Amino acid sequence: MNNIKLENANSPVIKDKNSAISTKASLKANRKFKKAGLFTLFVGPAFLAFAVIVLIPFFTGIYYAFTDWNGVTGNVAWVGLDNFKYLFTEDKQFQRSFLLTIKYTLVAIILTNVVGFGLALLVSQKLKTKNILRTVFFMPNLIGGLLLGFIWQFIFIKGFESIGSITGLSLFELPWLGDEKTAFWGIVIVSVWQGAGYIMLIYLAALQNVPQDIVEAAKIDGANKWQVLRHITMPMVAPAVTISLFLTISSSFKIFDVNLSLTNGGPFKSTEMLALNIYTEAFVNNRYGLGEAKALIFFLVVAAITIIQVTITKKREVES
């Protein structure tokens, strides 16, 4: 019996089966290795660049948030939570900038989305000039924030002064960048003028995907334009609302270039947004550790708000 078992184990048929199984296993291993190699080849450079540019500075910034460092010398002193205690108890300018940024974000989100959606409705109509209007409305988004701020600084100071002297309208005679309230609204005007065109494209793409047979059926049933907009169009473009809100929240919180070039935080730091306050603290006052602590708080707040916003709007999409 033992001789028979040994002969069966050493038979050519069993050897062929074992070799076939081993060949299939080696082929599968080679395929997995090739896939892993291709994945590394295509994703590796991008991930390496992302790690060098984003991940490493992010985690080193978290470390420096708990230190006292001027950003220049090699003397880095660990201070623990002292930076955060100082921000919430003694740094009044940080608190004012934080509240001002929240106020600006609320206003900019509403106005940018309302204006962007209104422009999308306008250019979605059967107009001969709709393609020209789309280009004109989107063009401000192509201008850099620093350049845009300097252009509008000239408009507010020189342009409005000339128009006011000619027309006598009090609106153009206001000290747009010299007063706290008007300077704030000047930043809002420039930001909405720049961002509404981009948001318009998102809403326009969503409006073009609304089924026209449903709209025509609603009109036949007696629905007016407002009812069609409220009960058909708005639920259909809900995913675009989610995207637009996310983009406007993040961009409004992170406003820096327009704030820097238009008012530079003035007059008397009354329009200094949070990003500009962080920049000033780290690179002007040379308190890098304190600036990183502000940036970490800023990141956590923006991340929390955007996650809550996306979660809520996604639920409303499902409900609608």
Side-chain angles (χ1 to χ4, degrees):
M1 292 294 293
N2 292 332
N3 292 332
I4 294 173
K5 288 181 180 179
L6 290 173
E7 288 177 359
N8 290 335
N10 295 323
S11 66
V13 176
I14 294 175
K15 285 184 178 180
D16 291 339
K17 287 183 178 179
N18 291 334
S19 62
I21 292 171
S22 62
T23 303
K24 288 181 179 179
S26 62
L27 288 174
K28 287 182 179 179
N30 290 332
R31 288 174 185 172
K32 289 181 179 179
F33 181 76
K34 288 180 180 179
K35 287 181 179 179
L38 289 173
F39 180 82
T40 305
L41 179 64
F42 287 104
V43 179
F47 178 77
L48 181 62
F50 179 76
V52 172
I53 297 172
V54 178
L55 292 181
I56 295 176
F58 176 75
F59 288 110
T60 54
I62 293 176
Y63 166 73
Y64 286 126
F66 298 92
T67 64
D68 181 16
W69 185 42
N70 60 7
V72 180
T73 63
N75 299 323
V76 181
W78 181 266
V79 295
L81 298 175
D82 289 350
N83 287 335
F84 299 94
K85 292 178 182 177
Y86 173 79
L87 294 180
F88 289 109
T89 56
E90 299 182 32
D91 195 342
K92 301 300 180 183
Q93 183 57 42
F94 171 73
Q95 298 170 18
R96 284 194 295 267
S97 296
F98 196 94
L99 294 175
L100 180 66
T101 304
I102 293 175
K103 175 185 174 183
Y104 163 79
T105 301
L106 292 174
V107 175
I109 288 170
I110 295 171
L111 291 180
T112 304
N113 280 277
V114 170
V115 174
F117 186 72
L119 294 177
L121 287 175
L122 175 63
V123 298
S124 63
Q125 304 300 317
K126 296 180 180 179
L127 302 174
K128 292 182 179 180
T129 59
K130 63 181 182 180
N131 292 329
I132 298 175
L133 290 175
R134 292 176 186 179
T135 304
V136 171
F137 294 149
F138 182 73
M139 280 181 63
N141 190 259
L142 301 177
I143 305 174
L146 288 173
L147 181 60
L148 196 67
F150 288 123
I151 292 172
W152 272 92
Q153 188 182 72
F154 175 80
I155 293 172
F156 280 128
I157 296 174
K158 300 295 183 181
F160 278 20
E161 181 182 358
S162 301
I163 296 173
S165 61
I166 295 171
T167 61
L169 296 175
S170 59
L171 177 66
F172 297 101
E173 295 177 349
L174 294 173
W176 276 96
L177 302 181
D179 183 73
E180 177 181 351
K181 293 181 180 179
T182 53
F184 171 79
W185 286 106
I187 297 173
V188 171
I189 290 170
V190 176
S191 300
V192 172
W193 184 76
Q194 182 187 28
Y198 185 78
I199 300 301
M200 174 199 71
L201 292 183
I202 298 174
Y203 285 127
L204 180 61
L207 288 173
Q208 290 176 342
N209 289 326
V210 175
Q212 292 301 310
D213 53 348
I214 300 177
V215 176
E216 294 298 330
K219 290 180 179 179
I220 293 172
D221 290 338
N224 55 35
K225 291 183 178 180
W226 167 248
Q227 290 173 331
V228 170
L229 178 65
R230 181 182 176 184
H231 297 289
I232 297 176
T233 305
M234 291 303 297
M236 290 287 184
V237 300
V241 174
T242 301
I243 297 171
S244 299
L245 286 177
F246 173 79
L247 292 175
T248 49
I249 287 173
S250 59
S251 62
S252 298
F253 263 109
K254 295 185 296 184
I255 181 173
F256 172 76
D257 43 9
V258 172
N259 190 197
L260 176 66
S261 58
L262 191 62
T263 65
N264 197 21
F268 304 107
K269 293 186 178 293
S270 60
T271 60
E272 187 180 69
M273 302 292 178
L274 195 53
L276 182 57
N277 180 263
I278 294 170
Y279 168 82
T280 303
E281 193 71 71
F283 301 106
V284 178
N285 299 337
N286 289 328
R287 295 195 289 185
Y288 194 85
L290 199 58
E292 286 291 352
K294 292 182 179 182
L296 181 58
I297 295 172
F298 186 34
F299 166 76
L300 294 175
V301 170
V302 175
I305 291 174
T306 51
I307 290 171
I308 293 170
Q309 174 261 314
V310 171
T311 303
I312 293 174
T313 50
K314 279 292 183 181
K315 287 181 179 179
R316 291 184 66 86
E317 286 180 27
V318 174
E319 291 174 0
S320 61

